[in-house]
Amino acid sequence: MTACGNTPPQLIHDDTVPEDLRALADATWADFLSAVPARHDCLPPPTLHAAWELDTRAEYEPDQMVLTVRVPGTPATLRSQLIHEFAHHLEFTCPEHDELRSPFLVAQGFPADTAWFTGDAWETTPSEQYAEAVVELVEGRRTHQGGIHITDDAIDVVRVWGRGP
């Protein structure tokens, strides 16, 4: 089920998500959607799950369209994690995402045919760099980027693609 007409896609919360995280996640989802208005039609509603124990800070399960964040966390950290996982949701649910990949790769200094989901490490995986570029698009430049350098050109590629023609 994707967004219809002028109704933006909604974020679903399961019963593990406390009220304060719900409020933060809803505001963060709205900010994310503002950055990608041309892509609302290919975004089915994801489900947010909160976990007190998780090996990573957050993760996205594309088959279930569930994103999990580890709690507790600071609002700023949780926002960044949510945006990062929202970006993965978009990449897995939007067929037009393929149009973004080659220009993004080139803007990041990769050959245009670089494998999207493969890298020597998390930091060198294009999919992860894309998700961090979305965080920077929504939040603005950050001082800490998890060891990933995102070029201004890469952020511009994501901005233009998200806004559409």
Side-chain angles (χ1 to χ4, degrees):
M1 181 169 84
T2 58
C4 297
N6 293 333
T7 304
Q10 299 298 306
L11 176 63
I12 300 167
H13 308 279
D14 73 13
D15 61 0
T16 65
V17 182
E19 285 302 316
D20 57 343
L21 179 56
R22 285 175 189 242
L24 177 69
D26 286 341
T28 305
W29 179 247
D31 292 343
F32 169 75
L33 291 176
S34 292
V36 294
R39 305 305 166 186
H40 292 187
D41 287 345
C42 60
L43 270 172
T47 299
L48 177 61
H49 177 80
W52 289 89
E53 293 183 21
L54 190 65
D55 291 338
T56 62
R57 291 183 181 184
E59 63 186 24
Y60 178 68
E61 300 169 47
D63 293 341
Q64 288 93 25
M65 294 188 299
V66 172
L67 59 108
T68 303
V69 293
R70 185 175 63 200
V71 293
T74 66
T77 299
L78 288 168
R79 266 185 68 84
S80 293
Q81 293 165 354
L82 288 164
I83 296 165
H84 182 102
E85 301 310 326
F86 294 157
H88 285 312
H89 177 63
L90 179 61
E91 118 187 281
F92 279 97
T93 62
C94 191
E96 294 87 10
H97 194 269
D98 287 344
E99 301 167 5
L100 167 80
R101 293 180 184 181
S102 290
F104 180 85
L105 288 165
V106 170
Q108 276 294 94
F110 291 103
D113 61 350
T114 299
W116 187 253
F117 294 104
T118 305
D120 292 336
W122 180 86
E123 298 86 0
T124 60
T125 302
S127 171
E128 300 300 340
Q129 291 187 5
Y130 150 76
E132 285 299 299
V134 174
V135 175
E136 292 209 11
L137 174 63
V138 175
E139 294 288 270
R141 286 296 198 171
R142 300 173 299 154
T143 56
H144 171 68
Q145 301 164 339
I148 295 177
H149 172 72
I150 306 298
T151 67
D152 290 338
D153 288 345
I155 294 170
D156 286 340
V157 165
V158 174
R159 178 182 295 111
V160 168
W161 179 82
R163 290 191 179 156

